Amino acid sequence: MKGFIHLISTLACITLAAANAPGWPFDVTEINAPDGSVKAKFVSLGATMTELWVKDRDGNARDVILGYDDNTLLLTDPDHPVFNAIVGRYANRIKNGTFSIPTTKEAQPPGAGVWQLPTNDHDGEVTLHSSDYGWDRKNWTVHSRSPTSVTYKYVDPAGEDGQGFPGEVTVYATHEVSNGVLRSSVLAHATEKTPIMTTQHVYWNLDAFQNGGDTALNHYLTLDASRIVHLDGNAIPYGDFIETSGTIFDFKNGKMIGENFNQTVDNCGTGCQGFDHCWIYDQSETRRAGTSLWSNNSGIRVDISTNQPAVQMYTAYWLNTPRKEVHGGPSLVYDSWSAVAIEQQGYVDAVNTPEWNVNQIYGPREDYEWSATYKFSIVDA
Ligand SMILES: *[C@@H]1O[C@H](CO)[C@@H](O)[C@H](O)[C@H]1NC(C)=O
Ligand SMILES: *[C@@H]1O[C@H](CO)[C@@H](O)[C@H](O)[C@H]1NC(C)=O
Ligand SMILES: *[C@@H]1O[C@H](CO)[C@@H](O)[C@H](O)[C@H]1NC(C)=O
Ligand SMILES: *[C@@H]1O[C@H](CO)[C@@H](O)[C@H](O)[C@H]1NC(C)=O
């Protein structure tokens, strides 16, 4: 009911906004690297990046992320692809929308310490990205900004009576650019013990749909990882891992995303061709792993480093949304494999997988920190 009232009041705002420029009623911020190598635009809804311009090998700037020309669709597009937003309070999937504190295997609501979220995926058996109205669809305030950075703030209220998440969370998301680099980071403080696991859900097409670069299948990808989470038919972890060496999931030494692509039929769920999996980075206290993505078509390469232990890679099978004008829209649409979503994050549904011993419960004495650094360069032809 609460969600419903929220939706109504939000729609009322949009109706009032109709006469204004696209992007309203959300605050729009543009930031620029001093040398002009990186330009990014954001809206306050979801602290979302809406444009990201970097230079190709000929020195021409291209917008390398998906999105809308009318950013009110971030809130209203029923397909809800979550274009480039900060996702929370808990990104990715939660089995049955339930969890308990402390973490147990099969939390059964109602019960002491058991919480229930609205479910929105796999016929109500899963909560995806904290339901249809998670952080990515909240209007954050602008906390501070400069020509090279913007910081957004959102206060996520506490749930009650076992519904939602426990405790109020105050979260800041900062996006900043320097020469050749974009860095995004999240800092969150909770008043009570609660799960927190965020991501930035960036959809990349490094060709920006130019010169025949209509999919990301021609992009090369390195994931510095030797294991993926073993998922059931609802994309929920069984609790074990699959070694990727010698399998279609092996991106450790870099390969074209579309290589052996005909072996990926039904690989991301029934009827879904491609990938939608969580890779566990090969990293340790002393060694940081990461992701690299590049296209020889545009020559654009991005190297991503993070403080996160895992990365979700989704080849965007289910997309079906009119493209931005700079990408050939609105007559052409973003559809299967138009982009690859790369989401730096924690272990999927560790809040229901106690055997991993991965703590995702934060509280008054333990703040949550997330970061990703995107470094752009040009590949040799
Ligand atoms: C899933 O959630 C429902 C509704 O809260 C609950 O009745 C059921 O026991 C839960 N099932 C599992 C397997 O946790
Ligand atoms: C959303 O937040 C921004 C920044 O705080 C503000 O300018 C704008 O009016 C808000 N829009 C709505 C619909 O609340
Ligand atoms: C997959 O593609 C390869 C190379 O294009 C081809 O040799 C192979 O027969 C195909 N396999 C299937 C199952 O279609
Ligand atoms: C990469 O692109 C350049 C410039 O278009 C082209 O000359 C070269 O053959 C390409 N290399 C590969 C491996 O596709």
Side-chain angles (χ1 to χ4, degrees), residues 43 80 93 145 168 176 183 249 256 297 338 358 374:
V43 292
H80 196 199
R93 291 173 176 84
R145 68 180 134 209
E168 181 183 275
E176 52 197 320
R183 183 171 189 273
F249 299 103
M256 202 185 273
N297 177 337
S338 281
V358 170
Y374 306 91

Side-chain angles (χ1 to χ4, degrees), residues 63-67 205 208-209 323-329 332 334:
D63 182 2
V64 294
I65 61 169
L66 271 50
N205 182 313
F209 301 89
R323 295 186 195 173
K324 298 184 208 177
E325 206 174 318
V326 291
H327 291 159
L332 296 177
Y334 300 122

Side-chain angles (χ1 to χ4, degrees), residues 104-313:
T104 55
K105 188 75 188 160
E106 296 277 346
Q108 295 287 336
V114 180
W115 293 81
Q116 174 76 59
L117 304 167
T119 54
N120 60 336
D121 198 32
H122 287 285
D123 299 324
E125 291 173 11
V126 171
T127 295
L128 178 61
H129 298 326
S130 305
S131 89
D132 287 338
Y133 293 91
W135 289 358
D136 68 292
R137 279 180 158 173
K138 303 297 183 187
N139 191 31
W140 300 44
T141 58
V142 178
H143 182 67
S144 63
R145 68 180 134 209
S146 78
T148 57
S149 77
V150 58
T151 297
Y152 295 100
K153 178 184 179 185
Y154 175 63
V155 179
D156 185 13
E160 283 171 19
D161 303 326
Q163 303 292 310
F165 289 105
E168 181 183 275
V169 171
T170 301
V171 55
Y172 297 87
T174 296
H175 306 289
E176 52 197 320
V177 288
S178 56
N179 294 341
V181 178
L182 164 74
R183 183 171 189 273
S184 292
S185 57
V186 173
L187 183 63
H189 176 80
T191 59
E192 284 174 45
K193 287 191 174 206
T194 178
I196 304 180
M197 200 274 264
T198 65
T199 195
Q200 185 179 28
H201 203 299
V202 185
Y203 283 87
W204 302 92
N205 182 313
L206 298 178
D207 296 336
F209 301 89
Q210 295 175 30
N211 313 329
D214 281 339
T215 77
L217 298 182
N218 67 340
H219 290 25
Y220 292 83
L221 177 70
T222 302
L223 301 172
D224 191 1
S226 304
R227 295 180 300 160
I228 57 165
V229 175
H230 187 196
L231 299 176
D232 71 13
N234 281 355
I236 294 293
Y238 284 114
D240 60 338
F241 300 94
I242 299 172
E243 299 288 330
T244 56
S245 177
T247 73
I248 53 172
F249 299 103
D250 187 357
F251 287 90
K252 173 98 181 153
N253 298 309
K255 69 173 182 192
M256 202 185 273
I257 294 176
E259 192 176 316
N260 309 124
F261 208 63
N262 57 6
Q263 292 171 34
T264 65
V265 174
D266 292 335
N267 189 50
C268 39
T270 307
C272 175
Q273 184 175 0
F275 298 98
D276 191 8
H277 293 82
C278 178
W279 276 256
I280 305 298
Y281 281 132
D282 294 339
Q283 64 187 1
S284 62
E285 291 290 317
T286 53
R287 182 177 172 280
R288 276 276 163 224
T291 297
S292 296
L293 180 72
W294 66 99
S295 167
N296 185 53
N297 177 337
S298 63
I300 296 171
R301 175 180 173 115
V302 57
D303 292 292
I304 309 170
S305 56
T306 180
N307 69 345
Q308 294 298 296
V311 57
Q312 184 87 10
M313 190 269 282

